[in-house]
């Protein structure tokens, strides 16, 4: 498998203090598993490698502006964050992209929304289409939440989606693996970071 770099992009989902750090809003659920998994270091390297290869890396942030934007309290998850929305303001410390990846979060490639899917409630999908992108590599936390929701959404929109297996994680290993098993059937297939990069630089041939 070889993928044209100009037709690929990375979606880096919810690499925010609120999600992946112990002192973030979801720290009690995700902080320790994220730390123990080592996923931040692996994902940071993958993002760096992709960026150096000329592949655009788009970061998504879950934020809640003063007017609540497109937030809809239609799940327990959305009701919970609505109750703590001050922690999710775009300028709040917890909304920041983590330091390990912040240098890649350039103006124009950080997209905010109030949805679980990184492609809902914003113009990112259309921007990707306008740029000729057809293949998406998805990283982020948590596997069974924003990663799975975004990967399925992107697939339904017609993109070829590859969740990057060693650059995602969840609150438990069982949940993480079950989500990846679902995604392996529901997307173009889950791949580890080294295989993604090999496909991008043409080391794998049909």
């Amino acid at each position: 498998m070889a993928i044209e770099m100009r037709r690929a992009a990375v979606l880096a989902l919810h690499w925010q203090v609120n999600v992946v750090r112990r002192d973030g809003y979801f720290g009690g659920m995700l902080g320790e598993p994220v730390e123990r998994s080592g996923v931040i270091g692996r994902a940071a390297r993958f993002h760096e490698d992709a960026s150096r290869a000329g592949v655009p890396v788009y970061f998504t942030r879950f934020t809640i502006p003063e007017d609540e934007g497109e937030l809809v309290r239609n799940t327990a998850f959305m009701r919970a964050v609505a109750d703590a929305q001050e922690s999710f303001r775009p300028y709040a410390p917890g909304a920041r992209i983590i330091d390990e990846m912040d240098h890649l979060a350039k103006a124009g490639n950080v997209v905010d929304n109030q949805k679980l899917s990184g492609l809902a409630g914003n113009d990112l999908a259309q921007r990707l289409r306008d740029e000729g992108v057809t293949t998406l590599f998805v990283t982020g936390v948590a596997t069974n939440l924003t990663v799975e929701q975004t990967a399925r959404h992107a697939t339904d929109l017609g993109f070829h989606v590859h969740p990057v297996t060693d650059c995602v994680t969840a609150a438990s290993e069982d949940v993480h693996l079950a989500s990846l098993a679902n995604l392996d059937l529901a997307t173009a297939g889950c791949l580890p970071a080294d295989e993604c990069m090999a496909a991008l630089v043409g080391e794998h041939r049909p």
Side-chain angles (χ1 to χ4, degrees), residues 169-178:
T169 199
S172 77
E173 186 69 4
D174 287 346
V175 168
H176 168 68
L177 292 175

Side-chain angles (χ1 to χ4, degrees), residues 29-68:
M29 177 175 72
L30 292 168
E32 190 276 333
V34 166
E35 191 174 296
R36 174 166 32 87
S37 73
V39 68
I40 289 176
R42 292 192 299 274
R45 285 191 296 274
F46 175 68
H47 298 157
E48 289 271 10
D49 290 345
S51 183
R52 275 197 298 268
V55 177
V57 181
Y58 288 92
F59 288 85
T60 68
R61 300 192 309 165
F62 185 90
T63 64
I64 304 177
E66 298 284 348
D67 64 359
E68 297 194 0

Side-chain angles (χ1 to χ4, degrees), residues 3-11 54-58 119 124-138 154 157-162 200:
I3 298 168
E4 292 182 57
M5 284 184 244
R6 64 185 178 84
R7 297 177 68 81
V10 174
L11 293 187
V55 177
V57 181
Y58 288 92
L119 297 177
L124 182 53
Q126 189 57 54
R127 287 170 59 186
L128 292 168
R129 289 194 190 99
D130 291 347
E131 293 167 12
V133 171
T134 58
T135 299
L136 299 174
F137 296 97
V138 180
L157 292 174
F159 293 97
H160 298 270
V161 180
H162 297 286
L200 283 167

Side-chain angles (χ1 to χ4, degrees), residues 21-22 32-33 42 46 54 76 83 95 102 107 110 139 145 151 158 166 182 185-186 193 196 200:
R21 295 295 194 209
R22 288 178 184 257
E32 190 276 333
R42 292 192 299 274
F46 175 68
D83 289 344
D102 184 62
V110 179
T139 74
L145 295 171
D166 46 353
N182 290 334
L185 295 173
C196 294
L200 283 167

Side-chain angles (χ1 to χ4, degrees), residues 3 26 37 43 100 115-116 120 131 148 156 168 178 181 188 197-198:
I3 298 168
F26 290 107
S37 73
E100 292 88 340
K115 309 294 183 184
L116 195 55
E131 293 167 12
E148 186 160 352
D156 284 345
V168 298
M197 288 309 305

